[in-house]
Structure formats: structure tokens, C-alpha cells
């Protein structure tokens, strides 16, 4: 039986997610409904993607009995409020990153999921890419020996995008793209909490971070170095350096398709989309969709690829980085 999806939001990421689902067997995934605050926009989206139901409110989607899971693709300033709506309605939720604006909101979502005994996952889609699975295997087999240093860089010019620069829209590089660097480090170190975090950065006039550099120290004298920027393009890759060699994940950081292990390069191609995409390599969203399906079939309430405890830790780290850099959102004082 197909996993029945409901889409919350009719924006760019929901478009790409819908296109990605079309690369999977139709008997496994089916979009049942789309909801937007604008019924007209929802209807346009539904027509474009061949979706039967279109709703002009999120409440209607929450009350649809035919939905197995919600893909939450609204602005991250709305993740906490809208996420609570679906979780309290007993709906499973795949929530786009960042999970929420701060760790208090993330813990609220996790608590609601546990109270209502539903599945919840932060949509760090790169976690589900084949390359990340291969990296985990190589680390488990100690292919590069003892890991000593991890570097991750993600920079993309976005100063022309309102969502990226306005504080009221949750702007800044850290929450939007820096999160991919930090989650990669946590994956390499098996969700371990860093012993220390040192961060510095530059801010835009709007008060959000333009560029951020973070150094984290972990146990056994291991170091992680991350850099993100919304004003310039960086190398957009990650390197794991060990005592016997190195692993390089070639970007973009959030959707990599090239892996270099001790100098040997391997490509992991993605299927072609049936419609134009908004973001690079977005057919790779198919991997997180299939991860969700497998978790639901097994009766799991969270994904082993992106555990909820790790999402909480990830947000705690970002909260600390924002504190050191000097970025505060209105949600922090609520």
C-alpha cells in the first residue's frame, strides 16, 4: 500500500519534493492533498502536480483522515506553530530543516510527537543520501583510521533573497545552510556532544548572520571546523581526516553526489526530474521520502538516520553559536 502524503505549503521545496516523489514507484508513494493559506495557490499546485485535494487552510489538512504523513514545507518561523497543529491532530510529520527557531520549540515538537505517539523527523535530507550511508560504513570499518579532524563548508550567495536576510523570516546563513555542516559533524561523531564550541561571525544590518565560522572540540582531541556564508560561494564540501587517510564529500553540502576516499572518486548520480527544479539535486529528496516510508512500515516513531535526540543537540549547538555571534530572534524571548 502506498504511503499517503499531505503537503503543507505550496512553495519551492514542496514543488521539488513532489517532483522527487515521482521518481519513486507510484505504488509506494502518493500525494493525497496539498494545503496552503491561499486556496487558489493550493489549487494551482494541485493541478500542476496531479493532486486530488487542495485545501485553503492547514486545519483542513490536519483533519483529513486519508493522510499518513505530512511534509511540512512552510517557512521555519512557522514550523513550531504549524507542526504542533499536525502533531496534536495525530498526524505523522516530516518537518523541513531547521526543525524550529530554537531548542525550546524543538523540544515542544518532540514532546507533542511522543504524547500523541506519532512519527516525527527533521528533514535533513542529506542524511538519507547513499553517500552518507557509505560514509557511515567507512567510518565503522575505520577505513581512514582514527578520525582527528572534520571540516565542512557551505556558502551560497543569497543576499538577494528576502527569506535569507530578513530577521522576521528567520534569515541568516546558520539556520538555512550552516545546519548541514553541523549535522555532518554530528553524524561523523555519532551524535556526541562537543566539549567546547567557539564561534565568530559577521552580521547584516538586519541583525542576521552573513558568515559564521565555528570550531568544536570533541573527546579524544578531535576537532571540527565549519564555515557558512550567504554572501559568497565556498568550496561546499566536507573532509574527514584520519590517521590512515581521508574521506571527501563533494558538494553541494546538502545534496552530495561525489565521494572521494583516499583519492579514489565515486559518483552517485540522481534520477532526472520530470519538471524543472528550484534547488540543486532536488530529486535526492526521494531518499528521505523512502526513509520515512520504511520507518512507518516498521512502526518506528523516529528515524535512526536522524534521531530526535540528535536534532535537539543540533539545535542546542546552533542556539549557542547564535548567542556567541549575536543573533537573537523574537522567538527566543517568547
Amino acid at each position: 500500500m502506498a504511503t499517503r502524503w499531505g503537503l503543507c505549503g505550496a512553495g519551492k521545496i514542496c514543488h521539488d519534493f513532489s517532483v522527487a516523489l515521482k521518481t519513486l514507484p507510484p505504488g509506494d508513494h502518493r500525494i493525497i492533498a496539498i494545503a496552503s493559506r491561499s486556496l487558489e495557490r493550493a489549487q494551482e499546485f494541485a493541478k500542476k502536480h496531479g493532486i486530488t485535494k487542495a485545501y485553503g487552510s492547514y486545519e483542513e489538512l490536519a483533519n483529513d483522515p486519508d493522510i499518513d504523513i505530512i511534509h511540512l514545507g512552510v517557512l521555519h518561523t512557522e514550523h513550531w506553530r504549524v507542526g504542533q497543529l499536525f502533531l496534536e491532530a495525530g498526524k505523522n510529520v516530516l518537518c523541513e530543516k531547521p526543525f524550529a527557531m530554537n531548542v525550546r520549540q524543538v523540544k515542544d515538537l518532540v514532546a507533542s510527537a511522543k504524547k500523541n505517539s506519532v512519527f516525527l523527523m527533521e528533514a535533513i535530507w542529506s542524511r538519507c543520501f547513499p553517500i552518507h550511508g557509505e560514509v557511515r560504513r567507512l567510518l565503522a570499518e575505520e577505513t581512514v583510521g582514527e578520525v582527528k579532524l572534520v571540516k565542512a563548508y557551505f556558502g551560497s550567495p543569497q543576499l538577494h533573497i528576502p527569506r535569507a536576510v530578513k530577521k522576521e523570516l528567520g534569515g541568516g546563513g546558520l539556520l538555512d545552510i550552516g545546519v548541514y555542516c553541523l549535522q555532518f559533524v554530528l553524524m561523523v561523531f555519532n551524535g556526541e556532544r562537543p566539549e567546547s564550541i567557539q564561534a565568530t561571525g559577521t552580521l547584516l544590518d538586519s541583525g542576521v548572520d552573513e558568515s559564521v565560522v565555528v570550531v568544536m572540540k570533541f573527546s579524544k582531541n578531535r576537532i571540527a571546523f565549519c564555515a557558512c556564508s550567504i554572501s559568497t560561494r565556498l568550496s561546499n564540501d566536507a573532509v574527514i581526516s584520519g590517521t590512515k587517510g581521508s574521506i571527501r564529500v563533494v558538494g553541494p553540502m546538502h545534496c552530495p553526489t561525489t565521494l572521494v576516499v583516499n583519492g579514489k572518486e565515486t559518483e552517485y548520480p540522481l534520477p532526472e526530474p520530470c519538471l524543472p527544479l528550484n534547488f540543486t539535486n532536488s530529486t535526492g529528496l526521494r531518499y528521505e521520502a523512502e526513509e520515512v516510508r520504511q520507518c512507518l512500515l516498521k512502526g518506528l516513531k523516529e528515524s535512526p538516520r536522524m534521531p530526535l535526540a540528535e536534532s535537539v543537540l543540533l539545535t542546542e549547538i546552533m542556539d549557542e553559536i547564535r548567542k556567541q555571534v549575536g543573533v537573537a530572534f523574537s522567538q527566543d524571548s517568547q
Side-chain angles (χ1 to χ4, degrees):
M1 182 177 176
T3 297
R4 301 171 300 177
W5 291 87
L7 304 184
C8 178
K12 293 180 179 180
I13 191 64
C14 288
H15 166 87
D16 285 12
F17 188 80
S18 300
V19 174
L21 285 187
K22 290 181 173 66
T23 69
L24 293 166
D28 290 348
H29 296 270
R30 182 184 171 199
I31 301 176
I32 298 295
I34 167 73
S36 172
R37 288 177 297 181
S38 164
L39 177 59
E40 182 180 2
R41 194 174 183 199
Q43 290 171 335
E44 290 176 358
F45 191 103
K47 182 178 180 180
K48 185 174 185 178
H49 292 279
I51 301 170
T52 305
K53 301 178 186 178
Y55 296 126
S57 73
Y58 303 147
E59 287 78 10
E60 290 175 281
L61 184 61
N63 293 324
D64 189 325
D66 298 326
I67 302 296
D68 294 319
I69 184 158
I70 301 293
H71 173 256
L72 185 54
V74 296
L75 280 175
H76 46 267
T77 50
E78 293 293 297
H79 285 180
W80 175 74
R81 182 184 67 83
V82 182
Q84 290 279 43
L85 169 69
F86 291 117
L87 293 170
E88 292 298 328
K91 288 288 191 287
N92 300 306
V93 173
L94 173 67
C95 179
E96 276 301 326
K97 61 79 204 168
F99 221 154
M101 295 301 293
N102 54 41
V103 74
R104 177 187 58 79
Q105 290 190 342
V106 170
K107 286 181 176 179
D108 281 350
L109 292 172
V110 172
S112 291
K114 291 182 177 179
K115 183 185 74 171
N116 293 286
S117 191
V118 293
F119 175 88
L120 177 62
M121 177 182 173
E122 184 179 12
I124 304 285
W125 58 315
S126 47
R127 279 288 175 103
C128 303
F129 268 60
I131 279 182
H132 279 61
E134 182 65 7
V135 169
R136 286 191 293 267
R137 184 188 69 80
L138 293 168
L139 293 175
E141 296 177 356
E142 299 184 348
T143 301
V144 296
E146 183 183 356
V147 174
K148 286 295 185 179
L149 179 67
V150 179
K151 297 183 291 182
Y153 306 89
F154 196 171
S156 173
Q158 298 182 30
L159 298 182
H160 60 288
I161 303 174
R163 178 181 63 82
V165 299
K166 291 186 177 182
K167 179 176 279 192
E168 63 269 25
L169 299 180
L174 180 66
L175 266 62
D176 187 40
I177 58 178
V179 62
Y180 288 112
C181 300
L182 296 171
Q183 70 80 25
F184 183 84
V185 169
L186 290 182
M187 183 192 75
V188 173
F189 292 142
N190 293 313
E192 180 181 321
R193 181 180 297 274
E195 293 179 348
S196 66
I197 302 170
Q198 293 179 298
T200 188
T202 57
L203 306 185
L204 298 174
D205 291 340
S206 62
V208 302
D209 55 290
E210 176 185 25
S211 299
V212 172
V213 174
V214 184
V215 178
M216 294 180 287
K217 181 182 178 182
F218 290 81
S219 64
K220 301 177 184 178
N221 292 323
R222 296 171 298 169
I223 296 290
F225 181 92
C226 299
C228 69
S229 176
I230 55 171
S231 63
T232 186
R233 190 172 303 282
L234 301 180
S235 57
N236 296 346
D237 63 353
V239 179
I240 303 168
S241 299
T243 54
K244 296 180 181 179
S246 66
I247 299 170
R248 181 178 177 227
V249 176
V250 182
M253 260 308 295
H254 57 315
C255 51
T257 55
T258 303
L259 184 66
V260 184
V261 182
N262 294 331
K264 182 180 179 181
E265 183 175 304
T266 305
E267 294 288 336
Y268 293 78
L270 291 166
E272 290 297 316
C274 62
L275 291 171
L277 297 169
N278 295 296
F279 304 108
T280 305
N281 292 348
S282 280
T283 50
L285 290 164
R286 70 200 303 266
Y287 298 124
E288 71 176 4
E290 184 58 24
E291 168 67 9
V292 167
R293 173 174 167 78
Q294 294 305 317
C295 288
L296 294 180
L297 290 174
K298 295 173 184 175
L300 301 179
K301 301 304 179 186
E302 60 182 293
S303 166
R305 289 181 181 268
M306 193 64 215
L308 293 175
E310 201 162 321
S311 288
V312 171
L313 175 58
L314 176 61
T315 314
E316 287 178 339
I317 292 172
M318 291 196 293
D319 281 2
E320 175 60 26
I321 293 169
R322 287 197 295 111
K323 180 180 178 181
Q324 292 186 28
V325 173
V327 176
F329 295 107
S330 61
Q331 292 85 353
D332 296 327
S333 59
Q334 291 175 357

